Amino acid sequence: MTVHDRTTWRWANVNDLDDFFKRVYSYYMGRGMYCILLARFLNLLTLAFVIGFSTFLIGCVEYTEIPNHSSLSDVLVPQCISRLSGTTTMFLIIFILWWAWQALKFILDWPALKEMHEFYHHLLEIPDEDIQTVSWQTVLERITNIHESNPTTASTSPYRVDEHAVTSRIMREENYLIALFNKRLLNITIPLPVLCNMHVFTRDLEWNVAFCVLSYVFNERGQLRKRFLQEKNRHLLAAGLRRRFVFMGWLNFIFAPFILVYLLAFFFFRYFEEYHKNPGEIGTRAFSPYAKWKFREYNELPHFFKARLSSCNGLANKYVDQFPKEKSALVARFVAFISGSFAGVLAIVTLFDSEALLNFEISPNGTILFYLGLFGTVFAVSRGMIPDEHLIFEPEEILQQVMKFTHYCPEEWHGKLHTDEVRGHFCQLFTYKVMLFVQELLSVIFTPLVLWFSLPTSAEQIIDAFRDFTVHVDGLGYVCSFSQFDFNKHGDAKYGAQTQAEEEHLMSNDGKMEKSFLNFKVKKKRRKKNMG
């Protein structure tokens, strides 16, 4: 049997279409087998470097001896690994075991990756050289063609294979998460008096929510468990979900030190060089994980969503800069003047005596080089906080342009787009990158609290949502009814639907389903037009 015949047989006998199409999409996003292998291999090397270098810095250098010696070899601790403390050794063993597990997964995933490479190369006729430039629409059309041309997968197949069906399979679970965020059913507020109104949804908490909810509702094949569709099971299922939240809260609490150490090491090594080269990056903003789930639409694949948000980053920054920041601008100008003056004088000194850069100490152990870097960083950051003097004040118009990409305008914003109140809400969604980093670190503390106290109060509403927002589609199985654009059940005439839902709680908030439908259809029509 040839490779082509074997690949055709595997395609005709796929048992789990959800898993298959997810692997097809992951292969497309990874840009082919060789790019995926290289990325995973380099990730393993990165993890090994972070573990090894962190261990070296923590246990193998005698920092108190550095001022008395001029060579690294003089301050190294001999046989440092054997002299590590019990806590450090435990951390090291856990991280090594985790790395070994990742390496084992890298090896075990090779056969499936090779099969997907053969599927693209022999059936879709898309080699790795072309996959980096081919469109996802082309991939879908070729999958549809081989489905219709193969007698064993065409008219006799019970499964639907078209763009909507494939996307619904890939996003079967994510569509429910989008619905939970849109309907505001997840209580992710911090259960502390001062912070009770804050939504801190970090990657750590995102993983925990997905694990607690999705792995509970869906089976190992990615299909919704039928017991969640029966109202008589509501209280039992809700109690089980609450137990999962509390259990994961304790698990996060126990492993909090390990998570914190990893986050500190990883973010330091990842972002230090970026911020060192361009200190102004510290003051840049990005959409938070919470904002991304609020903005994302039904059946919107990650690469389309990423392109949509990337298109409005510049406008979002322009909107935030619209509002008067005279007090902070005055302080920033003062700090920039002082730090720039010191940096300028130190730079002039080094022009006349280059050795003073390393040898002349302004303070104990503080050389000119140290202070030049310090004042230069402060100057760059403070300059980045000074608004453009030629800025035209039109926040309402710019926010409307931003909303053309985010498709997000809650009812409480209507008629207030020019106000500082809306700006404050928007800045919670589009916040400083350094604040996102701080939130990730603080999530080590906040995540157990949210899992213990906040999310368990949402258990009944979450169970109800899976029952109320699920529909069975022939050839697909049980899927989120919002993703099928069921206007008879969820339509909101206020946002253009021809029918109105019988009950208000069945309608999506802020016209999410109607906007998702239009976005899905417009992109489909645009892609077909581009392909002629």
Side-chain angles (χ1 to χ4, degrees):
M1 181 182 292
T2 64
V3 176
H4 184 277
D5 293 338
R6 186 168 60 249
T7 305
T8 303
W9 182 87
R10 282 198 297 260
W11 158 247
N13 293 273
V14 173
N15 292 323
D16 188 350
L17 279 177
D18 279 30
D19 177 69
F20 179 79
F21 285 126
K22 285 179 181 177
R23 290 193 291 117
V24 169
Y25 183 69
S26 296
Y27 190 89
Y28 171 80
M29 291 298 293
R31 297 296 182 253
M33 182 175 69
Y34 299 108
C35 286
I36 293 173
L37 288 174
L38 180 61
R40 293 183 180 179
F41 178 71
L42 293 178
N43 283 338
L44 286 174
L45 290 183
T46 301
L47 288 174
F49 172 79
V50 170
I51 295 170
F53 194 42
S54 300
T55 304
F56 171 79
L57 293 176
I58 292 172
C60 296
V61 179
E62 191 65 55
Y63 292 97
T64 58
E65 296 295 326
I66 291 179
N68 304 323
H69 298 85
S70 57
S71 174
L72 176 63
S73 59
D74 296 333
V75 297
L76 291 180
V77 178
Q79 299 180 346
C80 58
I81 299 298
S82 61
R83 299 186 180 185
L84 293 175
S85 65
T87 303
T88 305
T89 302
M90 181 176 63
F91 273 82
L92 181 60
I93 292 173
I94 290 177
F95 283 130
I96 289 176
L97 290 175
W98 181 45
W99 185 90
W101 168 245
Q102 296 297 319
L104 181 62
K105 283 182 61 179
F106 175 75
I107 297 172
L108 295 177
D109 288 345
W110 161 250
L113 186 61
K114 186 70 166 60
E115 290 180 2
M116 191 52 59
H117 172 75
E118 293 172 351
F119 175 75
Y120 266 83
H121 187 76
H122 294 284
L123 291 191
L124 301 186
E125 298 180 351
I126 302 176
D128 273 16
E129 294 78 12
D130 296 338
I131 198 172
Q132 300 189 39
T133 55
V134 74
S135 68
W136 175 244
Q137 180 66 28
T138 300
V139 175
L140 286 176
E141 288 189 352
R142 296 194 181 185
I143 290 176
T144 303
N145 290 338
I146 63 172
H147 173 77
E148 294 175 349
S149 61
N150 192 316
T152 60
T153 60
S155 58
T156 59
S157 174
Y159 303 113
R160 284 174 49 195
V161 179
D162 53 47
E163 181 175 0
H164 193 181
V166 171
T167 304
S168 296
R169 287 186 179 278
I170 294 173
M171 290 190 59
R172 189 189 298 271
E173 297 178 0
E174 285 82 354
N175 279 326
Y176 281 102
L177 278 182
I178 294 170
L180 292 177
F181 275 95
N182 175 247
K183 298 296 292 181
R184 301 167 187 168
L185 299 178
L186 293 174
N187 182 4
I188 53 174
T189 54
I190 301 173
L192 295 175
V194 180
L195 306 174
C196 59
N197 293 323
M198 287 186 61
H199 294 93
V200 180
F201 191 70
T202 61
R203 291 183 179 89
D204 183 22
L205 186 55
E206 179 180 359
W207 183 89
N208 279 278
V209 169
F211 177 80
C212 290
V213 177
L214 298 183
S215 65
Y216 185 49
V217 177
F218 293 91
N219 61 24
E220 62 279 356
R221 291 174 60 88
Q223 301 298 314
L224 190 140
R225 304 179 196 272
K226 293 183 179 180
R227 62 175 177 268
F228 284 87
L229 303 177
Q230 301 173 2
E231 189 173 3
K232 65 180 182 179
N233 298 326
R234 179 178 185 264
H235 297 294
L236 184 64
L237 294 172
L241 183 57
R242 279 193 292 269
R243 287 194 297 270
R244 289 175 72 91
F245 284 138
V246 173
F247 173 78
M248 288 305 297
W250 282 110
L251 210 59
N252 277 265
F253 178 76
I254 294 171
F255 286 97
F258 305 99
I259 299 172
L260 180 61
V261 170
Y262 171 76
L263 288 176
L264 283 171
F266 180 77
F267 280 109
F268 175 80
F269 292 129
R270 179 177 179 181
Y271 293 113
F272 175 78
E273 181 63 21
E274 178 182 342
Y275 290 142
H276 178 69
K277 288 183 177 180
N278 187 9
E281 281 291 316
I282 296 177
T284 58
R285 292 175 177 267
F287 289 108
S288 66
Y290 176 75
K292 291 177 180 179
W293 280 108
K294 293 292 288 185
F295 294 166
R296 196 170 175 187
E297 296 180 336
Y298 300 110
N299 289 336
E300 185 173 29
L301 292 172
H303 70 288
F304 291 131
F305 178 62
K306 182 180 179 180
R308 180 160 66 90
L309 277 196
S310 298
S311 300
C312 74
N313 261 321
L315 287 170
N317 278 299
K318 189 176 179 181
Y319 166 73
V320 173
D321 291 338
Q322 285 284 299
F323 288 83
K325 299 182 291 183
E326 195 58 32
K327 294 178 183 177
S328 60
L330 288 171
V331 174
R333 288 191 181 96
F334 172 76
V335 173
F337 176 77
I338 300 298
S339 59
S341 299
F342 279 117
V345 171
L346 294 177
I348 293 174
V349 170
T350 59
L351 292 177
F352 292 98
D353 186 1
S354 59
E355 293 185 0
L357 189 67
L358 298 174
N359 299 326
F360 186 79
E361 293 184 355
I362 297 176
S363 64
N365 299 323
T367 63
I368 288 182
L369 178 63
F370 169 77
Y371 281 101
L372 192 60
L374 176 64
F375 288 125
T377 300
V378 173
F379 175 77
V381 173
S382 57
R383 286 289 298 175
M385 297 175 64
I386 300 174
D388 185 2
E389 296 179 356
H390 306 288
L391 193 66
I392 300 175
F393 185 74
E394 46 184 16
E396 186 169 351
E397 290 77 5
I398 295 177
L399 184 54
Q400 288 175 347
Q401 295 179 42
V402 172
M403 291 187 300
K404 290 180 180 178
F405 294 98
T406 62
H407 304 166
Y408 180 76
C409 182
E411 291 187 1
E412 53 266 29
W413 287 14
H414 292 177
K416 302 179 181 179
L417 299 185
H418 63 286
T419 63
D420 191 68
E421 177 188 351
V422 171
R423 182 206 63 82
H425 292 160
F426 184 81
C427 287
Q428 291 179 5
L429 303 172
F430 189 64
T431 188
Y432 289 109
K433 289 182 179 179
V434 67
M435 286 303 300
L436 293 177
F437 167 65
V438 172
Q439 288 178 12
E440 290 290 343
L441 295 181
L442 292 178
S443 70
V444 176
I445 301 172
F446 293 146
T447 295
L449 296 177
V450 173
L451 289 169
W452 283 334
F453 302 108
S454 299
L455 279 169
T457 63
S458 305
E460 285 85 0
Q461 294 93 320
I462 294 172
I463 299 300
D464 290 340
F466 280 94
R467 185 179 65 254
D468 294 338
F469 305 148
T470 295
V471 63
H472 185 273
V473 178
D474 293 338
L476 275 180
Y478 291 103
V479 292
C480 177
S481 49
F482 287 119
S483 70
Q484 300 306 299
F485 310 125
D486 189 347
F487 292 103
N488 291 326
K489 183 177 181 180
H490 303 296
D492 188 347
K494 185 167 60 175
Y495 291 94
Q498 295 182 353
T499 56
Q500 182 76 18
E502 296 180 358
E503 301 180 41
E504 186 176 351
H505 83 278
L506 293 176
M507 295 186 295
S508 61
N509 290 346
D510 307 314
K512 170 74 76 173
M513 187 186 71
E514 288 77 10
K515 294 174 184 177
S516 300
F517 174 76
L518 292 175
N519 190 38
F520 186 81
K521 290 298 182 182
V522 167
K523 285 184 177 179
K524 183 177 180 180
K525 184 177 180 180
R526 187 180 302 158
R527 290 192 295 269
K528 286 186 175 181
K529 182 179 180 180
N530 291 337
M531 297 181 66

